[in-house]
Amino acid sequence: MAKAKKSIKTTKTKRARNENAWYRRKSTHTAVGLLLLFFSVFGFIAFTSFFFHWSYDQSTLCEGLLASDVRNILGKAGAMVSHLLVWRYFGVSAYFIPYFLLILGIKVLFQPERLKPRKLLWGGLLAMIWFVALTGLLFSESHPVWAGGAGYTVFLWMKKGIGTVGTALVLFFTVLLGIVRFFNITPAHLQNWLSRPEKASAPASEMADANAELEAIPEEIETEEELPSQEVDLSMDDTHRADEAEEEEEEQQQQEEEKKPYSEPEVVDEAGDDVELSVEETVEEELSEDDAKAKRKVEDFGAYDPRLDLSTYQFPTIDLLNDYGKSNITVDQDELEANKNRIVETLKNYKIEIAKIKATIGPTITLYEIVPEAGIRISKIKNLEDDIALSLSALGIRIIAPIPGRGTIGIEVPNTKKNIVSIRSVIASEKFQKSEMELPIVLGKTISNETFVTDLAKMPHMLMAGATGQGKSVGLNAVLTSLLYKKHPTEVKFVLVDPKKVELTLFNKIERHYLAKLPNEEEAIITDTKKVINTLNSLCIEMDDRYEILKTAMCRNIVEYNKKFVSRKLNPEEGHRYLPYIVLVIDEFADLIMTAGKEVETPIARLAQLARAIGIHLIIATQRPSVNVITGIIKANFPCRIAFRVTSKIDSRTILDAGGADQLIGKGDMLIAQGSELTRLQCAFVDTPEVEKITDFIGNQRAYPEAHLLPEYVGEEGGEPGEVDLDDRDSLFEDAARILVQHQQGSASLLQRKLKLGYNRAGRIIDQLETAGIIGPFEGSKARKVLIPDEMALDEHLRQEKE
């Protein structure tokens, strides 16, 4: 008994202690509740502000705890909390956290006895995980900030495990399971719910059977039936609903009676007005018949998806590209201060006072913006370019006076320590990933360290020039890599011309995915000059064919046409097809001009003038930016021009119509001109092994049976010596004969100058003239003899040949 009494006393003592414990006191509940509410409101405001200013705050937070200039409403603390919970982990799902804290805080304050934190936290955690997976599925590639790091990781994990469709199914059935569990839905509920439409539409004769069935349903189900009626009773009573039902029935009978006279065929009126109305109705039906058919097809089969041809195709992944570490720019404060002082001192020596100076640091170049005092002439500062370069002991000083749209004068100074702009950093950038351009290409980063993304479809053609080894080939690879990461093989095709035979050969592996070529050609990458001419003329034929297709489809450009085709408004049996973009890339254009001349320039000029609307775009690169290569016709039709470093101001003006390219520092430093705008970029670096990894990744996947075939083109080939077939003669045969007879000189170079021909074609015509007996045989270094004395004798000679 004594022991029992002692244990009872001990139990009472423990209860008293528990009741008086600090965590059971009301003051503790109030303090904890208010603290939870504070963190809830703090998190909500910080997250909301983050979604408005995250792009600016992210770059600032890269400086670490010393970051001071943030735009989040709650300052550095709000920016860092948002960065951790939204960016790194949960994305938009992070809003669950302040919501949980709010519910928990309210319960702690007002209902501590009903508090069940374990159930609340477990349920909320499961809901949060589900929502993170959903945002990862929907926004991981187009809107990564919405999904967060955790959402992206969960999506990748589930995608690799069960695929995108499997992930969507898991999420759907998970939320379905949650609804069933939350509302305690049973099979009997489902049966009752499914049977309601039948009861509502059943005739009066079947109502007795339905009522008999309802009597057999357990009472549990009958109580569930009352729930919907209670919800409806909030807005109207049974009598009111019955009256409305009767009114709706009367209106339906009246509408049916009104429609009958228009649909009955026996109603005939000979009045002219009535006849005109009936004709108008039939015309409207005929006009909308095609749209109605297309709509029915879309409803039955869905919109046409061009990617179904290669439905298993996987885009290259980011991990194929080299990671050169963080792309953060390291700032040397001493270097900035020294350069600023030297610029100010140099200008002071020439009595130029500066009111303000600011520095913008890029990966390879720092832009110093200065505002001179009133009364200072801009041309005076521009003329001091060499003096400033001397004082800074730097190569590549460039003065922009003034900077368009800013009202300042810019002085670009190369950094002592340059940062690599990797292709990985720009491909993975949000600006490129979210771009909805037709042909997005990412070229590199600007002086302000912003990723430069532009649309090739709007350029619409690109001219790229620069001295040897300054980055042209890397630039071409960056353009092609951008398109490979964004466009499906169905959507774009490449025509690659490589006279050097070594620069573009890596892309041979993706021939049956992305390349286009002439029929019966063994290799898709063109290296022979004769095949280049045939390919260019083939593209002209393709251009003309596409314009005919657009004409019959009544569309103005390829975007409108493809949208119409996808919505099944165009019939493939009438010659319509989905049109991929075609990008022609020519490396070493100068070599083609030297060997083929007018035969290359003419079709390129045609394509540059007309091919934009039908989706053919040109990219031409050369290391000889001379006037003979970049002619007026080429420049007029290539509004987008890229200049890497060149050796003279003349070359810079030939490319850009402005100076500056001769002051670049090389290794990818470039200027891009789009209209009147001139922008300095650091080209993204893509190495040969990276291109090999990408092409191997694509080439190892299922492909089309062969490369995309261009229209067949038969070149103008003349006869060889000893042949007298008039059908094989060049179309300029008679014109060439007259020129040689007039000058009495049998020279191929004369034909090249007068007829603006390439060397190969001029040589073929010379052989044909020899076969025809107009000029004599080859005599070494001497010009061939002309065997016809004058034009009258030539006309007689040609007439006799035809007879």
Side-chain angles (χ1 to χ4, degrees):
M1 291 293 292
K3 289 183 179 179
K5 288 181 180 179
K6 187 175 182 181
S7 63
I8 290 171
K9 282 185 177 181
T10 306
T11 304
K12 289 181 178 179
T13 305
K14 287 182 178 179
R15 284 180 182 173
R17 288 177 181 175
N18 289 336
E19 288 176 357
N20 295 325
W22 66 271
Y23 54 85
R24 290 187 179 273
R25 297 173 188 167
K26 291 185 178 180
S27 59
T28 304
H29 295 162
T30 304
V32 172
L34 290 175
L35 194 61
L36 290 172
L37 291 178
F38 168 77
F39 285 122
S40 172
V41 175
F42 184 92
F44 180 81
I45 296 174
F47 298 166
T48 303
S49 179
F50 174 81
F51 281 99
F52 286 95
H53 305 295
W54 70 270
S55 58
Y56 181 86
D57 287 353
Q58 288 297 103
S59 60
T60 307
L61 287 174
C62 292
E63 300 176 12
L65 296 174
L66 298 177
S68 58
D69 186 17
V70 295
R71 295 182 180 177
N72 196 291
I73 294 176
L74 298 179
K76 191 191 305 181
M80 296 185 72
V81 170
S82 303
H83 169 76
L84 179 66
L85 296 178
V86 179
W87 178 265
R88 284 186 175 272
Y89 292 108
F90 306 118
V92 75
S93 306
Y95 275 104
F96 275 87
I97 297 173
Y99 172 75
F100 297 153
L101 295 176
L102 177 66
I103 299 299
L104 198 60
I106 291 173
K107 282 187 171 290
V108 170
L109 275 174
F110 303 108
Q111 295 178 332
E113 67 279 359
R114 297 184 182 179
L115 183 63
K116 296 180 180 179
R118 184 178 300 176
K119 185 177 180 181
L120 177 67
L121 291 176
W122 274 110
L125 183 61
L126 291 175
M128 188 173 181
I129 292 173
W130 182 89
F131 205 81
V132 164
L134 176 65
T135 52
L137 174 66
L138 297 177
F139 306 111
S140 62
E141 296 181 359
S142 59
H143 299 282
V145 69
W146 287 24
Y152 186 71
T153 304
V154 170
F155 170 71
L156 286 182
W157 177 73
M158 296 185 74
K159 183 179 179 182
K160 289 180 180 178
I162 57 176
T164 304
V165 177
T167 304
L169 288 174
V170 168
L171 293 176
F172 173 75
F173 282 100
T174 303
V175 73
L176 194 62
L177 182 63
I179 292 172
V180 170
R181 182 72 181 86
F182 184 82
F183 292 101
N184 197 21
I185 299 174
T186 64
H189 295 161
L190 293 176
Q191 183 182 358
N192 186 30
W193 179 72
L194 292 173
S195 64
R196 284 180 186 172
E198 297 176 4
K199 291 190 297 179
S201 61
S205 60
E206 297 178 2
M207 289 302 293
D209 297 334
N211 290 332
E213 291 177 2
L214 284 173
E215 291 176 0
I217 297 175
E219 294 181 359
E220 178 185 349
I221 305 302
E222 291 179 2
T223 58
E224 293 294 335
E225 272 191 338
E226 294 176 0
L227 292 175
S229 64
Q230 290 175 0
E231 293 177 358
V232 177
D233 285 343
L234 293 174
S235 58
M236 61 183 72
D237 56 10
D238 294 339
T239 307
H240 186 58
R241 289 201 309 276
D243 293 340
E244 281 194 348
E246 291 179 1
E247 291 176 3
E248 289 178 359
E249 288 180 1
E250 290 179 2
E251 289 177 0
Q252 289 177 0
Q253 289 170 0
Q254 290 176 0
Q255 289 175 0
E256 290 175 359
E257 290 177 358
E258 290 175 358
K259 290 179 182 177
K260 282 182 180 178
Y262 297 98
S263 60
E264 289 178 352
E266 60 267 14
V267 179
V268 179
D269 195 339
E270 295 180 358
D273 295 338
D274 293 340
V275 172
E276 290 178 2
L277 285 173
S278 63
V279 170
E280 288 176 0
E281 288 177 0
T282 56
V283 169
E284 288 179 2
E285 290 178 0
E286 289 177 0
L287 288 174
S288 61
E289 185 177 356
D290 292 338
D291 292 338
K293 286 182 180 179
K295 187 176 180 180
R296 286 196 297 271
K297 287 181 180 178
V298 172
E299 290 175 353
D300 295 340
F301 307 104
Y304 172 75
D305 186 2
R307 296 188 177 188
L308 288 178
D309 290 345
L310 288 181
S311 58
T312 60
Y313 177 79
Q314 296 291 325
F315 284 91
T317 56
I318 295 294
D319 55 10
L320 297 173
L321 304 174
N322 294 340
D323 187 2
Y324 293 95
K326 295 182 179 179
S327 58
N328 301 333
I329 299 174
T330 56
V331 182
D332 188 344
Q333 196 64 35
D334 295 336
E335 181 184 347
L336 290 176
E337 194 68 24
N339 287 341
K340 183 199 77 171
N341 293 335
R342 288 169 186 166
I343 291 172
V344 173
E345 184 180 352
T346 303
L347 294 176
K348 276 186 177 180
N349 292 337
Y350 293 92
K351 298 181 181 179
I352 298 175
E353 296 293 333
I354 295 176
K356 184 180 178 182
I357 185 168
K358 182 179 75 171
T360 303
I361 305 158
T364 57
I365 301 294
T366 297
L367 173 65
Y368 294 87
E369 293 183 65
I370 62 174
V371 179
E373 293 286 356
I376 302 297
R377 298 181 64 180
I378 294 177
S379 59
K380 190 175 182 181
I381 299 176
K382 180 69 176 175
N383 293 333
L384 296 176
E385 198 167 53
D386 295 335
D387 298 275
I388 296 174
L390 179 63
S391 66
L392 295 173
S393 303
L395 175 68
I397 298 295
R398 179 170 168 263
I399 294 181
I400 312 167
I403 298 177
R406 294 195 189 180
T408 58
I409 297 173
I411 302 175
E412 295 175 348
V413 182
N415 297 337
T416 304
K417 184 178 180 181
K418 300 173 179 61
N419 295 83
I420 295 177
V421 177
S422 64
I423 191 69
R424 177 175 181 142
S425 64
V426 293
I427 290 288
S429 66
E430 182 183 4
K431 190 172 184 181
F432 180 73
Q433 294 294 330
K434 284 186 177 181
S435 65
E436 297 180 356
M437 303 173 181
E438 291 295 322
L439 293 174
I441 57 175
V442 57
L443 292 172
K445 290 191 176 183
T446 63
I447 290 178
S448 57
N449 204 36
E450 295 179 1
T451 303
F452 186 87
V453 182
T454 187
D455 192 355
L456 179 61
K458 292 182 178 179
M459 285 185 176
H461 311 293
M462 182 191 298
L463 176 64
M464 190 181 293
T468 304
Q470 302 304 317
K472 292 189 310 302
S473 298
V474 174
L476 287 177
N477 286 338
V479 170
L480 294 174
T481 302
S482 303
L483 296 175
L484 291 178
Y485 267 89
K486 288 292 283 186
K487 306 305 289 185
H488 191 271
T490 312
E491 299 167 337
V492 65
K493 301 295 179 183
F494 300 118
V495 178
L496 303 181
V497 178
D498 184 14
K500 290 195 292 189
K501 305 179 182 181
V502 292
E503 292 294 343
L504 301 175
T505 52
L506 293 175
F507 295 94
N508 259 328
K509 300 173 185 176
I510 60 172
E511 175 180 332
R512 293 189 295 128
H513 291 86
Y514 281 99
L515 301 191
K517 66 177 183 179
L518 290 173
N520 303 321
E521 290 292 335
E522 294 182 2
E523 295 182 356
I525 298 179
I526 307 158
T527 56
D528 183 36
T529 304
K530 180 180 176 182
K531 293 179 181 178
V532 174
I533 297 169
N534 292 343
T535 302
L536 292 175
N537 285 286
S538 175
L539 285 174
C540 290
I541 297 172
E542 174 73 11
M543 177 182 70
D544 295 334
D545 291 344
R546 288 191 173 197
Y547 270 115
E548 285 297 323
I549 292 175
L550 262 64
K551 178 182 175 183
T552 57
M554 291 184 290
C555 298
R556 294 183 301 171
N557 54 56
I558 188 174
V559 177
E560 292 180 7
Y561 176 85
N562 282 339
K563 284 183 179 178
K564 216 169 184 179
F565 188 85
V566 166
S567 59
R568 300 188 184 274
K569 294 181 180 179
L570 300 175
N571 190 352
E573 295 179 358
E574 297 176 359
H576 293 291
R577 66 186 189 275
Y578 185 85
L579 298 179
Y581 284 94
I582 297 177
V583 179
L584 170 65
V585 180
I586 300 178
D587 194 11
E588 282 310 322
F589 181 64
D591 185 70
L592 292 181
I593 292 293
M594 287 178 61
T595 55
K598 202 73 175 178
E599 293 174 282
V600 168
E601 186 178 359
T602 300
I604 284 181
R606 277 205 71 208
L607 291 170
Q609 289 169 350
L610 301 173
R612 172 185 181 178
I614 46 85
I616 299 178
H617 302 279
L618 282 61
I619 301 175
I620 292 177
T622 180
Q623 66 177 3
R624 286 183 54 205
S626 60
V627 180
N628 296 332
V629 176
I630 305 177
T631 61
I633 296 176
I634 297 296
K635 289 179 68 174
N637 293 291
F638 284 76
C640 177
R641 303 172 202 162
I642 292 177
F644 292 89
R645 189 187 179 196
V646 294
T647 55
S648 67
K649 291 184 179 180
I650 296 175
D651 290 345
S652 177
R653 294 192 177 277
T654 302
I655 306 167
L656 303 173
D657 292 329
D662 56 312
Q663 296 165 325
L664 300 176
I665 61 174
K667 294 184 179 180
D669 189 18
M670 70 183 197
L671 291 170
I672 178 170
Q674 293 178 294
S676 59
E677 184 180 357
L678 197 64
T679 308
R680 190 169 187 176
L681 303 175
Q682 178 62 38
C683 183
F685 177 68
V686 51
D687 204 359
T688 302
E690 294 177 278
V691 179
E692 287 181 347
K693 290 178 185 177
I694 296 169
T695 53
D696 286 338
F697 179 86
I698 296 173
N700 291 331
Q701 300 185 51
R702 186 173 70 87
Y704 295 104
E706 58 182 343
H708 182 79
L709 297 181
L710 299 172
E712 188 173 2
Y713 173 77
V714 180
E716 298 176 343
E717 296 182 9
E720 297 297 329
E723 297 178 356
V724 198
D725 191 351
L726 295 178
D727 296 333
D728 287 342
R729 286 180 177 173
D730 195 283
S731 59
L732 296 177
F733 174 82
E734 291 190 6
D735 293 339
R738 294 184 189 283
I739 289 172
L740 297 188
V741 170
Q742 288 173 2
H743 292 81
Q744 287 295 302
Q745 179 182 349
S747 168
S749 59
L750 177 63
L751 296 182
Q752 284 183 269
R753 292 195 305 273
K754 295 294 183 180
L755 297 177
K756 297 182 179 179
L757 300 177
Y759 177 80
N760 293 337
R761 189 176 181 186
R764 289 196 299 270
I765 294 176
I766 288 292
D767 293 335
Q768 293 169 14
L769 291 170
E770 179 188 351
T771 303
I774 297 174
I775 61 175
F778 178 70
E779 298 182 3
S781 59
K782 296 180 180 179
R784 296 174 185 250
K785 292 182 179 179
V786 179
L787 305 179
I788 305 296
D790 52 40
E791 289 191 51
M792 292 182 60
L794 177 63
D795 291 335
E796 181 65 21
H797 182 82
L798 294 175
R799 185 181 62 79
Q800 290 177 359
E801 275 195 344
K802 292 178 182 178
E803 292 178 352

